[in-house]
């Protein structure tokens, strides 16, 4: 593979301006991450400590193998929602190493609403389960949940992607042979009780761990019986009488040590083997990405210069370089793992889509994972392009993305608009993981374009009615709200709050994040013997 030649002038004014702007965005991201991780009310912290419980991040520290990385999932989920304090959707979740095995970890943070699940918390739980199932990762849960947040029960309870789906997924994971291990570290009420009972092995903590379908207040209201939480569902009851719980722990730290022993006892799982090479750092400093990519999405950049700062040795074998040049395709390695990479250098034309389709088929046939680097405004439009088959060629690309069986990973490094989002493996196309950079924008189209479309439609309507075209003031009245809404709902923070992605990345950490994700994905077989595609409209 050839080393990508750097064509970046680090002394140019545009580079320096980009670098300064991106540095500010990354600093803002770090502040938001710090707030989500540590901002808790003094009252909640004191109550947690008085009950003898460990903080969520201390639990994580004790659970993970020493000096191993942790790939946190959706740390800013729920940002700005409800009362603004539902940090991380009330859950600390991610992929880490326990006893040398990659596992998915989920920890209720009881300093946030007592561990009660809001709608976004249910969505994050379902996302964790999807990751565990797609990548065949054992699921370790440290449970301390008051169950559903009742004032919002209609948004949590009845639908196919609401709370009940959590237990359905647990049953399916059990059928798939995915280990589920839980420690009961607080009140596990109603749905929380089912979530515990459906796990393979249950550790129950003395003093503050309790499992019951209805807590003491509900029991009293329903039957008139007065009973303590411990007598109703404590470890003595469930370890000696009901048989619900399997292990008795003296405290949180003891429970975590028992989990580590259980994980060590799990059978060693053989990961899928790729044709790897020795890892090598990029030739160019990944922090140069700050100066290459402008927060102003109207400023273009060569996606090859991004690739050069995330792949091993900055080496890249480009496929069909002279054909469909608005899409760059080729092979590289990240942390020694082979990847097929697709990155945007403009809107998608028929040739770009045809090239992508062929390239995806090659990677899928060879069992090489795919990485999509999105900076896309969509497909070309117009009479000549429709005559040339853009619709059918775009369909081929979407079909190939949808039906390819290799692990797919997506990073939105700039714009992600319309059908371009779909064709470049947006969330709806089930990439194993998807992240955004802090400058990224997502939507059906950009605010200016959407506003322009509405103005055009309005003027056409007025013409049919015999009215004058909109004057500048009227035009602004239509355009300004649309642009402002697009800016609010299209930015990376709105996306990550709603779990449209798995987190916002510091661009300089993209390479390492991808390395961890690829490693996790290899716990699942890339595919069985089934290979093929749907019908391509020729």
């Amino acid at each position: 593979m050839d080393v990508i030649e750097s064509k970046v002038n680090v002394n140019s004014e545009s580079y320096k301006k980009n670098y300064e702007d991106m540095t500010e965005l990354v600093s803002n991201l770090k502040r938001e991450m710090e707030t989500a991780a540590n901002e808790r009310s003094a009252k909640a912290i004191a109550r947690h400590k008085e009950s003898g419980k460990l903080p969520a991040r201390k639990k994580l520290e004790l659970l993970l193998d020493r000096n191993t990385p942790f790939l946190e999932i959706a740390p800013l989920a729920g940002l700005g929602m409800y009362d603004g304090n539902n940090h991380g959707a009330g859950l600390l979740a991610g992929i880490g190493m326990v006893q040398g095995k990659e596992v998915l970890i989920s920890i209720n943070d009881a300093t946030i609403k007592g561990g009660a699940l809001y709608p976004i918390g249910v969505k994050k739980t379902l996302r964790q389960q999807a990751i565990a199932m797609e990548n065949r990762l054992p699921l370790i849960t440290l449970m301390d949940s008051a169950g559903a947040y009742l004032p919002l029960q209609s948004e949590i309870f009845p639908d196919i992607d609401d709370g009940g789906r959590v237990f359905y997924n647990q049953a399916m994971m059990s059928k798939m042979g995915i280990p589920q291990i839980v420690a009961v570290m607080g009140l596990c009420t109603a749905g929380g009780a089912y979530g515990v009972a459906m796990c393979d092995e249950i550790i129950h903590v003395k003093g503050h761990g309790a499992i019951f379908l209805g807590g003491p207040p509900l029991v009293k209201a329903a039957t008139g019986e007065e009973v303590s939480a411990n007598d109703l569902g404590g470890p003595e009851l469930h370890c000696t009488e009901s048989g619900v719980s399997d292990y008795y722990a003296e405290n949180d730290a003891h429970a975590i040590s028992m989990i580590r022993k259980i994980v060590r006892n799990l059978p060693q799982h053989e990961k899928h083997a790729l044709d790897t090479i020795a890892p090598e750092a990029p030739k160019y400093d990944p922090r140069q990405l700050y100066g290459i990519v402008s927060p102003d999405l109207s400023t273009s950049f060569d996606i090859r210069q991004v690739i050069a700062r995330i792949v091993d040795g900055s080496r890249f074998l480009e496929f069909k370089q002279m054909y469909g040049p608005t899409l760059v395709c080729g092979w590289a390695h990240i942390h020694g793992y082979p990847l097929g990479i697709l990155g945007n250098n403009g809107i998608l034309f028929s040739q770009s889509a045809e090239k992508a389709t062929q390239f995806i088929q090659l990677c899928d046939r060879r069992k090489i994972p795919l990485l999509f680097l999105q900076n896309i405004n969509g497909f070309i439009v117009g009479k000549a392009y429709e005559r040339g088959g853009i619709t059918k060629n775009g369909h081929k690309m979407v079909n190939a993305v949808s039906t390819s069986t290799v692990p797919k990973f997506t990073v939105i490094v700039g714009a992600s608009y319309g059908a371009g989002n779909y064709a470049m493996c947006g969330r709806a196309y089930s990439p194993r993981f998807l992240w955004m950079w802090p400058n990224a924008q997502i939507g059906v189209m950009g605010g200016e374009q959407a506003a322009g479309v509405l103005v055009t439609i309005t003027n056409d309507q007025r013409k049919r009615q015999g009215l004058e075209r909109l004057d500048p003031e009227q035009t602004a009245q239509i355009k300004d709200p649309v642009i402002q809404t697009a800016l609010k709902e299209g930015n990376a923070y709105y996306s990550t709050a709603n779990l449209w992605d798995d987190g916002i990345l510091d661009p300089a950490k993209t390479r390492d994040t991808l390395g961890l994700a690829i490693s996790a994905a290899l716990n699942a077989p890339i595919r069985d013997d089934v290979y093929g595609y749907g019908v391509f409209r020729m």
Side-chain angles (χ1 to χ4, degrees), residues 393-409:
N393 290 317
H395 134 75
K396 294 174 189 175
M397 181 177 177
V398 171
N399 191 319
V401 171
S402 302
T403 56
S404 58
T405 56
V406 295
K408 301 184 284 279
F409 309 90

Side-chain angles (χ1 to χ4, degrees), residues 205-253:
V205 178
K206 173 185 175 182
H208 49 258
I211 307 169
F212 30 62
L213 296 184
L218 180 59
V219 170
K220 184 175 181 179
T223 69
E225 180 184 10
E226 292 192 13
V227 62
S228 71
N230 190 64
D231 289 341
L232 184 63
E236 292 80 9
L237 172 80
H238 285 309
C239 285
T240 63
E241 296 185 45
S242 75
V244 169
S245 302
D246 305 308
Y247 306 92
Y248 187 101
E250 294 291 334
N251 50 46
D252 286 353

Side-chain angles (χ1 to χ4, degrees), residues 2-71:
D2 297 326
V3 173
I4 296 174
E5 178 185 353
S6 180
K7 298 181 179 179
V8 176
N9 180 2
V10 298
N11 296 312
S12 70
E13 290 303 315
S14 60
Y15 177 92
K16 291 177 181 177
K17 178 65 165 59
N18 289 346
Y19 198 101
E20 180 182 345
D21 291 345
M22 185 65 81
T23 298
E24 183 177 355
L25 290 178
V26 171
S27 296
N28 291 339
L29 172 62
K30 290 177 179 178
R31 282 193 292 270
E32 291 289 358
M33 296 281 283
E34 177 68 21
T35 297
N38 298 309
E39 185 182 76
R40 307 290 184 270
S41 72
K43 182 179 179 180
I45 293 172
R47 187 187 302 118
H48 202 73
K49 188 174 182 180
E50 287 168 7
S51 67
K53 300 177 183 179
L54 294 173
R57 291 193 179 268
K58 181 62 178 178
K59 293 176 183 176
L60 178 65
E61 178 187 330
L62 293 175
L63 181 59
L64 293 174
D65 294 348
R66 280 179 170 271
N67 301 317
T68 57
F70 180 67
L71 178 57

Side-chain angles (χ1 to χ4, degrees), residues 369-383:
L370 290 163
L371 169 62
F372 296 81
L373 298 175
Q374 284 198 18
N375 180 31
I376 179 65
N377 285 315
F379 285 88
I380 190 67
V381 296
K383 182 178 178 181

Side-chain angles (χ1 to χ4, degrees), residues 98-99 101 259-268:
V98 176
Q99 299 287 16
K101 298 180 175 75
I259 288 176
R260 289 183 54 81
K261 291 176 183 177
I262 292 169
V263 173
R264 184 173 59 194
N265 195 46
L266 294 176
Q268 189 65 43

Side-chain angles (χ1 to χ4, degrees), residues 18 291-294 296-303 344-346 375:
N18 289 346
I292 293 169
V293 179
S294 171
D296 179 2
L297 298 187
S298 66
T299 303
S300 63
F301 59 89
D302 186 352
I303 197 67
N344 301 117
N345 258 353
N375 180 31

Side-chain angles (χ1 to χ4, degrees), residues 1-2 4 303-304 307 311 315-321 323-324 327-334 337-344 355-356 358-360 362-363 366 368-373 424:
M1 295 183 183
D2 297 326
I4 296 174
I303 197 67
R304 295 177 185 85
I307 294 170
V311 302
R315 289 189 297 274
F316 185 61
L317 177 58
E318 188 164 350
F319 176 74
K320 275 185 168 359
Q321 181 176 359
Y323 187 83
L327 185 70
V328 174
C329 300
W331 288 277
H333 292 80
I334 290 181
Y337 298 113
L339 276 178
I341 300 176
L342 299 92
N344 301 117
K355 176 166 74 170
Q358 183 184 358
F359 182 72
I360 291 167
L362 287 173
C363 290
R366 299 170 185 176
I368 297 174
L370 290 163
L371 169 62
F372 296 81
L373 298 175
M424 288 296 291

